[in-house]
Amino acid sequence: MGVGKTTLGRRLAERINHDFIDLDQAIEARAKRSISELFNVEGEAKFRELESKELKRVLIRDNVVIATGGGTPTLSGAMESMREAGMVIWLKASTRTIISRIAACTERPLLMKLNAQERQERVESMLASREPLYNRADFALDTDHQDPESLVDLICARIQSS
């Protein structure tokens, strides 16, 4: 959330001549509803069920860069499945950076009805609870104060060295 997954994923896919899949967009297309609508109408549990099913669908594809939602690694078995399918990169950013990047976004169901203090506390709490799972990624990149092209260069160098 707000770390640059879609931006970097799209650019990386172009650079290495792979397809790009944004998992949230794939879920929306299959459900014919926005993520916010799914959360509001169906609830988070139903959204996570759809997310798990869609993840399984996209992980079987070859030559693809996938940008998952920030909660995807929390799904049962998701991190293991992602690591078996390919390289998993954890894009990190500070709470301040995340909040500034998502400030204008009204499509964040877990954050959209919160005031500034509550939003900061929620982001910090989500990051803290997810960090043990994120730490299982193949490697991490800090996206604070770095331009996307430099980050894609770093990812490509890492891919080539593995």
Side-chain angles (χ1 to χ4, degrees):
M1 152 181 51
V3 296
K5 294 180 301 287
T6 301
T7 299
L8 292 175
R10 200 172 266 125
R11 289 179 184 203
L12 175 62
E14 286 175 16
R15 174 90 61 92
I16 63 175
N17 199 29
H18 280 31
D19 291 331
F20 173 72
I21 297 173
D22 180 296
L23 191 62
D24 283 348
Q25 290 175 359
I27 294 165
E28 289 178 335
R30 188 164 303 277
K32 296 179 178 46
R33 289 184 173 179
S34 71
I35 300 299
S36 292
E37 191 177 356
L38 285 167
F39 263 79
N40 291 334
V41 175
E42 306 281 346
E44 184 175 0
K46 178 66 174 175
F47 168 76
R48 297 297 177 198
E49 179 185 318
L50 295 172
E51 184 179 32
S52 182
K53 287 178 182 177
E54 196 61 31
L55 180 65
K56 288 175 184 167
R57 283 187 189 99
V58 301
L59 286 179
I60 62 172
R61 295 195 43 194
D62 291 325
N63 301 319
V64 64
V65 173
I66 303 166
T68 69
T72 305
T74 68
L75 301 171
S76 178
M79 185 58 89
E80 293 81 8
S81 296
M82 290 188 296
R83 292 195 67 207
E84 287 172 13
M87 185 177 286
V88 177
I89 304 165
W90 173 19
L91 300 177
K92 300 170 76 169
S94 67
T95 301
R96 170 177 263 165
T97 297
I98 291 169
I99 289 172
S100 74
R101 288 179 182 167
I102 65 172
C105 183
T106 59
E107 294 293 317
R108 301 284 177 177
L110 295 176
L111 301 173
M112 60 190 206
K113 295 179 182 172
L114 305 176
N115 66 37
Q117 180 63 35
E118 292 168 331
R119 186 176 286 195
Q120 178 173 336
E121 290 169 0
R122 181 66 185 254
V123 169
E124 289 171 349
S125 172
M126 287 185 338
L127 291 174
S129 68
R130 294 172 176 177
E131 187 170 353
L133 288 163
Y134 290 174
N135 273 324
R136 294 172 52 206
D138 294 296
F139 70 97
L141 279 179
D142 186 340
T143 65
D144 282 348
H145 314 295
Q146 296 200 51
D147 68 281
E149 288 307 313
S150 296
L151 290 165
V152 170
D153 290 343
L154 289 169
I155 294 168
C156 286
R158 186 66 183 255
I159 290 169
Q160 289 174 348
S161 71
S162 62

